[in-house]
Amino acid sequence: MLGLAALPKRSGSRRRLALSAAAKVNLVLEILGKRADGYHELATVMQAVDLSDRLILDEAPDLGLVVNSDVIPGDATNLALRAAVALREAARVNGGVHITLDKRIPVAAGLGGGSTDAAAVLFGLNRLWRLRWPGARLAELATKLGMDVPFFLRGGAALGTARGEVLKPVPAGAVALVLVSPPIESSTAAVYGRVTPSMYTDGARARTMAGILRTRQAARVAASLYNGLEAAVAPLHPEIARMKAALLAAGALGVAMSGSGPTVFGVARSFEHARQIRARLTRASWRCWAVRTLGGPAVRVRTIESMGRTMGRGQAARRGTLDPVFGGSNPPAPTTIRRGRR
Ligand code: C5P
């Protein structure tokens, strides 16, 4: 396993940006039909949650990636590195970046871990390379990396339509959830390949959830969870039904699978209740988290270092070195300021 001890050495006055990149769950995922381009038409409510990967972007003459995980590739197939390559080409940048990726979100688990890392790289490099691309232009490039990636440039909650990439922000109150992830990986393409017309629905559930989210009522959110992909995945992995049953037995108000699985999540009455539920889930092979939904951005700047100086996010914003990615419509939430690594 590669550790963060392998952090590349900084040279001279190059700049460094430390970011966090949050996971998501799909509170509702409906498949409306098959499209002519081979993708599926979706209506989904995506919600960012406070389980995050950490990234450090170091300005460098070339491109490089170090990952603290032996289950995801550190080579050119890694979505974070592909994001850097795509932006460098599209913006005709000569310089590069060394990415250090601290994976905390389980991989190929339905939580958008790879997509949020890619979004963080686009967001971070837009600043590190001083590109000043507007959010819409970044989102267009993000779609080329994966249909979930544009969501992570915004965060909060959003209704996703078309292939999931056409987003409408949904005002949402905070809800506490318990995530349960088995030691199984699920390929999104393979799951969509098992979808049949019997799994199609009309999008009403997603619209209903978007309305309910405003109310902050956990019981109503719990009663309206739905994932049309479950019918395609559950027969392959009996563990999914077991995790859902265990969450309900432990007190969850409602349960569903996230994305193309296999992670499932349960809705709790409060964060304290979520912690109690998590403590009652005893199977050693499951990884469990009590989390809160995030109303603000999924990607957050933790620190910026320039010319050997460390600036917190607020300080940098006052100096005019940070631009909100989507104008003022998605204001950054307060961030924890930590000293960068040296
Ligand atoms: O967008 P992303 O690259 O993550 O999607 C992975 C695969 O999932 C696609 O290649 C496609 O097979 C399938 N997919 C789909 N319909 C969607 C999104 C993804 O069929 N709306």
Side-chain angles (χ1 to χ4, degrees), residues 85-94 126 129 131 133 137 141:
V85 170
L87 186 60
R88 189 163 81 152
E89 277 174 21
R92 298 176 202 277
V93 170
N94 287 324
N126 192 33
W129 291 342
L131 302 178
W133 276 28
R137 193 168 174 201
L141 184 63

Side-chain angles (χ1 to χ4, degrees), residues 38-42 115 145-148 162-164 188-189 192:
Y39 280 79
H40 290 82
E41 190 75 12
L42 302 182
S115 299
L145 297 163
M147 295 305 156
D148 280 354
R163 291 163 298 181
T188 305
Y192 276 103

Side-chain angles (χ1 to χ4, degrees), residues 167-207:
L167 299 167
K168 193 172 159 211
V170 173
V175 178
L177 305 174
V178 183
L179 311 182
V180 186
S181 193
I184 301 168
E185 292 189 13
S186 177
S187 149
T188 305
V191 169
Y192 276 103
R194 291 174 52 85
V195 168
T196 60
S198 66
M199 298 166 197
Y200 297 166
T201 49
D202 64 2
R205 291 172 176 87
R207 288 191 295 275

Side-chain angles (χ1 to χ4, degrees), residues 2 64-67 69 72-83 85:
L2 293 167
L65 173 71
V66 176
V67 191
S69 161
I72 59 165
D75 63 13
T77 62
N78 184 287
L79 203 56
L81 200 52
R82 280 173 49 206
V85 170

Side-chain angles (χ1 to χ4, degrees), residues 162-248:
R163 291 163 298 181
E165 85 284 20
V166 176
L167 299 167
K168 193 172 159 211
V170 173
V175 178
L177 305 174
V178 183
L179 311 182
V180 186
S181 193
I184 301 168
E185 292 189 13
S186 177
S187 149
T188 305
V191 169
Y192 276 103
R194 291 174 52 85
V195 168
T196 60
S198 66
M199 298 166 197
Y200 297 166
T201 49
D202 64 2
R205 291 172 176 87
R207 288 191 295 275
T208 301
M209 179 60 87
I212 285 173
L213 271 186
R214 294 169 187 268
T215 69
R216 305 175 66 122
Q217 291 179 34
R220 291 186 67 195
V221 172
S224 304
L225 302 173
Y226 177 80
N227 188 337
L229 288 176
E230 269 188 60
V233 189
L236 298 178
H237 303 302
E239 198 86 343
I240 289 170
R242 282 200 282 274
M243 293 186 297
K244 287 174 72 178
L247 272 168
L248 288 171

